[in-house]
Amino acid sequence: MNTKITKLIQHLTRLPGIGPRQATRLALAMADWDNDELREFGDAVSNIKNGPLFCGQCFNFADGELCSICSSSKRDRTRIAVVEKITDLRSMEKTGAYDGVYHVLGGVLQPGNKEKIKTEELFQRVASLPNPSLAEIIIATNPNTYGETTALYIREKLAPLGIRITRLAQGLSTGSSIEYSDETTLAHALKHRR
Ligand SMILES: [Zn+2]
């Protein structure tokens, strides 16, 4: 194997879900691209951290201070869906059944997890809502052990604010995930939240 291709394969295997065999396929496909395509790809990678990357309010991807959802006048700001990852937000957006806003935690609470998830930011955001009693927090963490633990923690912390808190779990079987649920199931789980 060529050393340049080997190096590319090593980089690609660092990505989630990409094993050596897939990385090799991807690298070989890229070897077929022309120079312009490769340069664009390289630029996209090297520019990823130039300028804002995340929304200052919900931690979705953003080009400016706020993401397109937080800055849209069509979204209902009194409803906040709390999701684990941006990919979960994308799955919920695909249903077309949700017109509220989001809060991306960036993970779940789990023992030994050193990465800080955005719970404090959520609590501050909710506390500063103009009228918390009219708002709803939809906890859309995954229906597994850590997702449930995180949901419980958020619920307990927000309870004193007297805010309506619902859980998106109806219809989603235990151990399944928001990201890989089909749109109909997810729209149903959203409609029948409680
Ligand atoms: Zn946002």
Side-chain angles (χ1 to χ4, degrees):
M1 188 69 83
N2 174 287
T3 47
K4 284 183 282 188
I5 291 287
T6 306
K7 199 166 185 183
L8 180 55
I9 292 169
Q10 283 171 356
H11 284 300
L12 291 169
T13 49
R14 293 173 62 195
L15 296 169
I18 305 291
R21 189 196 297 249
Q22 281 160 304
T24 306
R25 282 182 53 206
L26 295 172
L28 293 176
M30 287 166 76
D32 272 342
W33 291 0
D34 63 35
N35 281 338
D36 283 344
E37 288 176 298
L38 289 169
R39 202 172 300 114
E40 275 175 35
F41 187 89
D43 286 350
V45 173
S46 55
N47 285 330
I48 202 163
K49 289 207 162 164
N50 287 348
L53 185 58
F54 298 107
C55 174
Q57 181 161 263
C58 77
F59 306 102
N60 182 17
F61 286 128
D63 278 324
E65 198 182 319
L66 292 178
C67 72
S68 55
I69 296 172
C70 286
S71 51
S72 167
S73 59
K74 295 194 179 78
R75 309 299 294 228
D76 178 356
R77 285 174 178 71
T78 66
R79 279 187 292 140
I80 303 174
V82 180
V83 295
E84 292 177 18
K85 304 180 300 291
I86 291 178
T87 42
D88 297 331
L89 177 158
R90 298 229 159 145
S91 298
M92 281 185 67
E93 282 297 284
K94 263 197 249 163
T95 67
Y98 182 66
D99 69 351
V101 292
Y102 295 91
H103 190 93
V104 183
L105 292 171
V108 280
L109 291 175
Q110 51 179 303
N113 188 358
K114 297 262 185 331
E115 272 174 53
K116 223 182 145 304
I117 63 168
K118 307 283 187 195
T119 44
E120 281 311 313
E121 289 84 349
L122 172 67
F123 304 147
Q124 282 173 20
R125 183 176 168 191
V126 173
S128 64
L129 285 172
N131 202 342
S133 61
L134 292 179
E136 177 186 359
I137 304 301
I138 303 156
I139 305 178
T141 52
N142 285 313
N144 57 36
T145 310
Y146 297 130
E148 294 299 347
T149 308
T150 308
L152 202 65
Y153 173 71
I154 292 170
R155 204 179 262 279
E156 281 173 3
K157 284 281 199 172
L158 291 180
L161 296 174
I163 196 165
R164 183 171 175 229
I165 302 166
T166 55
R167 176 83 173 101
L168 181 84
Q170 278 280 84
L172 292 177
S173 52
T174 307
S176 66
S177 72
I178 308 277
E179 181 178 359
Y180 297 111
S181 294
D182 67 80
E183 285 143 43
T184 316
T185 308
L186 204 49
H188 184 270
L190 187 59
K191 193 174 171 202
H192 297 280
R193 65 184 182 269
R194 61 178 182 192

